[in-house]
Amino acid sequence: MRNLLIAAASISVLAACGGADETVADGAEPGSSVAEADAPAPTLEAGADFQERLQTALILAEEGSTIVMPAGTFEMTDGLTLDVHGVTLRGASQAQTILNFSQQRGSGEGLLVTSDDVTLSDFTIQETKGDGIKSKGADRIIYRNIKVEWLGDPDEASGAYGIYPVESSEVLVEASYVRGASDAGIYVGQSDNIVVRDNIAEYNVAGIEIENSTNALVNGNVVSNNTGGILVFDLPDLPVMGGNSTIVRNNAIQNNNTRNFAPPGNIVAGVPSGTGVIIMANDKVLVKDNRFENNQTADILITAYSQEFSDEDYNPLPRNVEITGNTYDGSGENPQGDLAQFASIMGGKLPPIVWDGVTRWGDEENSEINIFIDEPESVGYVNLGLGSYPIDVSAAAPSMDRPGGESIGAMPGIVLSRTE
């Protein structure tokens, strides 16, 4: 197989933001640093032993090589692995190259990538027993034009994550489609320098989740018919904590009213059906220029981490959140989960923006949260005034007065050295 000559990738600054008035320069559009191939890569032939030949090709691939899968639907009984740097794995298109894992043995992912500088594009993964595609410690990975789906109605027996990069730097997920994950359709965890753009996520528990990560841009996605649309979380007791600096911008976040079908005990099992964006225990989050529509609980929920933890380095409180320039329509009409009981004392509905009002943990003193809402006065807001967890509804002191926060200012730039 011929080698693909990887052109020297120029550094592309994707986001250099300046708070509420910032502009984000998406300078690294697909193809802006195109690698030049010396000749088309050969295509694997279809056939009864396709799975074995594909796995062999992945094992024997040389660094920088391209593996092209043919059009067709291929039944897979075992998960695939890739541990060679610089490999491109490409199909004919999402619609034409389908790897179906409905007969998969075991409970692993469909494809596991553990090497750097990998590009995955133009194929579909279906019906895996575990996660769809997982990449771990895979720096500078690109997911492009990928589909991962579980067919049929939402089911807790479906795999947890569709597209699942973790413990990586420089992650790009774009123009992909995820459906039916019992946790998150697109999940990026414990990673740094992340761009998730122009994807469609529907009928997952969480459409897109950025967790315990830094410097993330979630831009231009359509997130609909999930339980919760976009989650920005920071959790305790993980190797990487202190998630911060996430921009959620220009997304369509609508009709996220699917019942929560996460297995019990999963952190997202507590996500109320009908939430657009949830910011939990994270620092420096900008929610800007999104279109919210028909999320039955609330469009934006700002909340503390609500479960017990022992990690002394963990901060369970959200802080430095800026909300500006979004549009809102028809949400909060039928709040679900814990929020339903608060809605009941507010006439049965909730406004688009809800903060739990938690400012301290246990017996600690109150902390400065800094929530800045730069929206017209016609956009509703409520501070539930809980003060601390665990929830005590009788202690709630709802207030419609907006917090007197300040803009969080400039956001760090997001740098991807590889976008071809």
Side-chain angles (χ1 to χ4, degrees):
M1 187 171 298
R2 292 181 179 273
N3 290 337
L4 189 66
L5 300 180
I6 304 297
S10 59
I11 301 296
S12 299
V13 179
L14 290 186
C17 311
D21 298 324
E22 96 292 354
T23 58
V24 175
D26 280 2
E29 295 298 334
S32 63
S33 56
V34 177
E36 297 295 337
D38 53 357
T43 301
L44 288 175
E45 294 184 358
D49 58 348
F50 178 78
Q51 174 179 300
E52 289 74 18
R53 288 185 288 109
L54 174 56
Q55 181 60 79
T56 298
L58 293 171
I59 292 171
L60 299 179
E62 297 178 0
E63 185 169 345
S65 62
T66 296
I67 299 170
V68 180
M69 297 181 288
T73 298
F74 305 97
E75 303 297 331
M76 315 297 285
T77 56
D78 290 301
L80 302 165
T81 59
L82 172 61
D83 190 30
V84 181
H85 297 314
V87 170
T88 293
L89 177 61
R90 187 175 72 226
S93 71
Q94 287 184 17
Q96 295 180 83
T97 300
I98 300 170
L99 307 182
N100 184 291
F101 287 82
S102 58
Q103 302 303 313
Q104 183 180 12
R105 297 186 289 259
S107 58
E109 52 277 320
L111 171 62
L112 174 64
V113 178
T114 53
S115 47
D116 299 334
D117 302 304
V118 166
T119 299
L120 308 173
S121 71
D122 298 291
F123 63 90
T124 289
I125 295 272
Q126 287 181 342
E127 296 285 84
T128 53
K129 296 297 188 290
D131 306 316
I133 305 176
K134 180 179 182 179
S135 53
K136 183 175 182 179
D139 296 338
R140 299 173 298 282
I141 190 166
I142 298 173
Y143 294 82
R144 176 176 295 141
N145 296 326
I146 294 292
K147 177 187 285 188
V148 178
E149 63 181 351
W150 288 268
L151 306 174
D153 295 332
D155 187 344
E156 70 174 51
S158 297
Y161 304 107
I163 292 175
Y164 180 20
V166 64
E167 298 177 16
S168 304
S169 63
E170 299 189 36
V171 174
L172 173 59
V173 182
E174 65 179 2
S176 294
Y177 174 88
V178 287
R179 182 189 188 280
S182 65
D183 193 307
I186 298 172
Y187 171 100
V188 186
Q190 302 176 67
S191 297
D192 179 52
N193 277 315
I194 301 152
V195 175
V196 178
R197 63 183 178 193
D198 304 328
N199 303 284
I200 299 174
E202 60 181 2
Y203 295 105
N204 310 282
V205 173
I208 297 171
E209 183 174 359
I210 306 296
E211 186 176 280
N212 291 56
S213 293
T214 54
N215 303 318
L217 171 64
V218 181
N219 184 74
N221 304 281
V222 176
V223 185
S224 61
N225 296 305
N226 306 283
T227 302
I230 298 174
L231 278 52
V232 184
F233 282 6
D234 197 64
L235 304 180
D237 303 315
L238 291 175
V240 177
M241 296 190 299
N244 69 86
S245 303
T246 295
I247 302 169
V248 179
R249 192 191 65 179
N250 290 334
N251 302 283
I253 305 167
Q254 54 201 19
N255 302 310
N256 290 292
N257 303 318
T258 293
R259 69 173 179 85
N260 194 319
F261 58 100
N266 189 313
I267 188 68
V268 298
V271 171
S273 168
T275 41
V277 169
I278 305 178
I279 300 164
M280 185 175 73
N282 215 284
D283 185 18
K284 209 168 187 179
V285 181
L286 173 64
V287 182
K288 180 178 181 180
D289 295 341
N290 302 282
R291 179 164 56 86
F292 293 95
E293 185 175 4
N294 294 329
N295 301 296
Q296 65 180 343
T297 293
D299 288 324
I300 301 173
L301 173 61
I302 306 166
T303 179
Y305 181 74
S306 61
Q307 300 179 19
E308 293 291 336
F309 62 92
S310 58
D311 194 326
E312 295 181 353
D313 294 327
Y314 178 65
N315 187 339
L317 304 178
R319 59 272 184 208
N320 300 311
V321 176
E322 181 168 335
I323 300 170
T324 182
N326 305 285
T327 62
Y328 308 86
D329 184 23
S331 298
E333 297 289 328
N334 184 27
Q336 302 291 302
D338 289 336
L339 290 173
Q341 56 189 325
F342 296 104
S344 67
I345 59 176
M346 300 176 59
K349 299 180 180 179
L350 289 174
I353 305 171
V354 177
W355 175 35
D356 63 4
V358 172
T359 57
R360 64 184 183 277
W361 185 263
D363 297 328
E364 296 180 359
E365 295 183 355
N366 288 329
S367 297
E368 178 62 39
I369 302 301
N370 189 35
I371 297 175
F372 179 55
I373 301 176
D374 183 26
E375 303 283 32
E377 290 298 325
S378 59
V379 177
Y381 160 84
V382 64
N383 169 7
L384 297 178
L386 290 174
S388 65
Y389 277 114
I391 288 176
D392 179 0
V393 177
S394 66
S399 170
M400 305 294 186
D401 296 335
R402 291 190 176 184
E406 299 178 348
S407 172
I408 61 177
M411 299 286 278
I414 299 171
V415 178
L416 299 183
S417 59
R418 196 176 160 269
T419 60
E420 79 280 8

